[in-house]
Amino acid sequence: MRMKRLAGSLFTVSAALALTVLPTTAQAAGTEDDAFTDTSVGGALEDMSDHITRPSAQRVQDLHAGSIIAVKYLDGSEGGATGHMMTVESVAPFERDGNRATQEYAVTVADSTSNPHGVALSSKASPHWAFRDTRVEGSPGLTTKEWSGAGRGTVFIQADATTGKPTGYWWGRNEAAFNTVADRPMVFVDVTR
């Protein structure tokens, strides 16, 4: 195994694997120069160039089990986190906001976090229970408790209905805060052999 540095984060990359990085919307259009995914000489990913290819599109519907979602927090966060990484387990279309110009997806992910996906409300009517995070203990109508660490949850990614490219995400089904890609850019990565 070789250790590589990506925009300040350490990643373990097996010599037998290659990474495919799907660029953000602005990067695909050539309007963004972001060190988060910079493969140019001296860029954050230069030393991984033998493992990275860049397809011309980044569409949410192209995510699949094993894809990695990396999010960079440009707007800051509680606790000082600078970003988050999630491994995709499944992707399904999910209508969340009623806006015909967008399409939302329920993306089940495995990750490690101090803030489980969705607000664990004890109400039996809470939409949390349909998309339960494994770091939540309890049942509808009973007291709940949240845990931090590794687990499985669902993040809801909104995409442009025409291009399929992400516009932002909600951390969980019943989370009100919408995080735009302007404040929290996303990169989709496929690990291939």
Side-chain angles (χ1 to χ4, degrees), residues 59-69 86-94 103-111 117 131 133 152-158 168-173 186 188:
R59 300 179 320 159
V60 180
Q61 64 263 37
D62 293 336
L63 289 171
H64 55 84
S67 294
I68 297 170
I69 302 171
M86 302 167 268
T87 302
V88 174
E89 291 191 357
S90 66
V91 180
F94 182 86
Q103 170 64 58
E104 293 77 39
Y105 294 85
V107 182
T108 303
V109 297
D111 61 358
H117 296 273
F131 299 95
D133 192 293
R152 179 184 304 113
T154 305
V155 63
F156 292 80
I157 301 177
Q158 181 186 74
Y169 70 93
W170 292 270
W171 187 248
R173 171 64 180 97
M186 299 177 150
F188 301 158

Side-chain angles (χ1 to χ4, degrees), residues 106-136:
V107 182
T108 303
V109 297
D111 61 358
S112 182
T113 181
S114 60
N115 181 19
H117 296 273
V119 180
L121 300 174
S122 61
S123 165
K124 291 180 181 181
S126 173
H128 166 78
W129 299 110
F131 299 95
R132 185 178 182 156
D133 192 293
T134 60
R135 290 159 286 221
V136 175

Side-chain angles (χ1 to χ4, degrees), residues 49-91:
S49 60
D50 58 333
H51 297 288
I52 296 173
T53 59
R54 292 175 156 269
S56 61
Q58 176 195 2
R59 300 179 320 159
V60 180
Q61 64 263 37
D62 293 336
L63 289 171
H64 55 84
S67 294
I68 297 170
I69 302 171
V71 181
K72 183 176 182 181
Y73 296 170
L74 299 177
D75 59 350
S77 74
E78 287 184 32
T82 60
H84 190 71
M85 292 187 64
M86 302 167 268
T87 302
V88 174
E89 291 191 357
S90 66
V91 180

